[in-house]
Amino acid sequence: MINFAMALDRRDHVRRDLQHLEEVLRLHEDPEVTVWVDIEAPSEADLEALRAAFGFHALTLEDCLHAHQRPKLEYYEGHVFWVLYEFVEQEGDWLSREVMLFLGPRFVVSVHPQPVDCVTLAAERWRAVAALEGEEAAYLAYLIVDAAVDTYFPRTEALGDRLEEVEADIVTGQTSAVMPVMMKLKRETLGTRRLVTPLRDIFLSLMRGPGSQFGSKSYTYFQDILDHLLRVNDALDIQRDVLASAVDLYMSAIANRTNETMKKLTVLSTILMTSALIAGIYGMNFRHMPELHWTYGYYGALGLMMSAALVLVGLFRWRGYI
């Protein structure tokens, strides 16, 4: 359904809220007017109306109907089709929400399967700031994309904070529940990179020329978005490397704990084996063993076991084994 529609008249710079698609079509024919239509949870009827009104390609409308597309920028006759995502935090979890944009010389159509904050924020900014003369649609697209990219920073910072907590737990020896957390962090980091890196590549391609493909005036604004995406992507690359190092650190910590346990068990086994050796010798029951008929033989054997154990403990402590 149509969430809202607005029109910007270049002659008087007045933004008007539109109520019906017929108004959009009428104003879209005016070369001095830029229109913005926002559609939430589109139906097949909504997409058919867009096709009839703006001549959108059937493949782009199919992508709008079947969400979860890869971030991309596709060029068609008279417009471009853009897919990107924003991040939203809900009850401690971060969710990605898809936004699809149709951008033409004098129109922007935003489509999303669920409510998105970037469209709401872009609408507030578009009403409050002046548009670029002759590139109103491109500037509006910048406002939407910029609002979505701004959500990447808190998302990246949240991943970094959790990664620091995991590292602290590993260093302090609290490794009992670290591995599931690290595996979850790895999935979330890779999932975030899958949404950020393609968008970065899009802007790298977009900014190759002396001016952006959407207009020379909007070049600086889109270049600022590219700078944000490069910073976010660099942070994600660093976090991926740190996470790999944390996994190695975790495995080393587990191996060290295992080695310490085996060392203690070896020391204990050696002490017990010495006592077992003494007990085994005096348990052979040969007829001619003088100590068997000694009145204090039992206590002597126990004392010998205790003395041997103390000597071994001192030796192991001196060698640094315990």
Side-chain angles (χ1 to χ4, degrees), residues 285-305:
N285 293 324
F286 288 118
R287 182 180 300 274
H288 300 290
M289 292 184 68
E291 294 84 359
L292 294 181
H293 303 286
W294 183 32
T295 304
Y296 301 102
Y298 172 72
Y299 301 103
L302 291 180
L304 182 60
M305 294 179 189

Side-chain angles (χ1 to χ4, degrees), residues 36 71-73 80-87 97 99-103 108-110 116-123 125 137-153 195-196 198-200 202-203 206-207 214 218 221-229 232:
W36 177 16
K72 59 183 178 180
L73 180 65
V80 297
F81 178 63
W82 210 328
V83 179
L84 65 150
Y85 288 81
E86 72 168 15
F87 291 101
R97 292 178 176 175
V99 185
M100 290 156 281
L101 299 178
F102 295 89
L103 173 61
V108 173
V109 177
S110 53
V116 288
D117 296 336
C118 63
V119 168
T120 303
L121 183 58
R125 292 178 178 175
Y139 183 68
L140 174 56
Y142 155 76
L143 292 177
I144 298 173
V145 177
D146 182 62
V149 171
D150 283 344
T151 65
Y152 296 176
F153 289 100
L195 300 182
V196 174
L199 193 60
R200 178 208 61 182
I202 288 172
F203 273 91
L206 196 63
M207 298 289 104
F214 297 146
S218 58
Y221 294 94
F222 285 106
Q223 192 176 40
D224 181 66
I225 294 179
L226 174 59
D227 177 67
H228 292 172
L229 288 170
V232 171

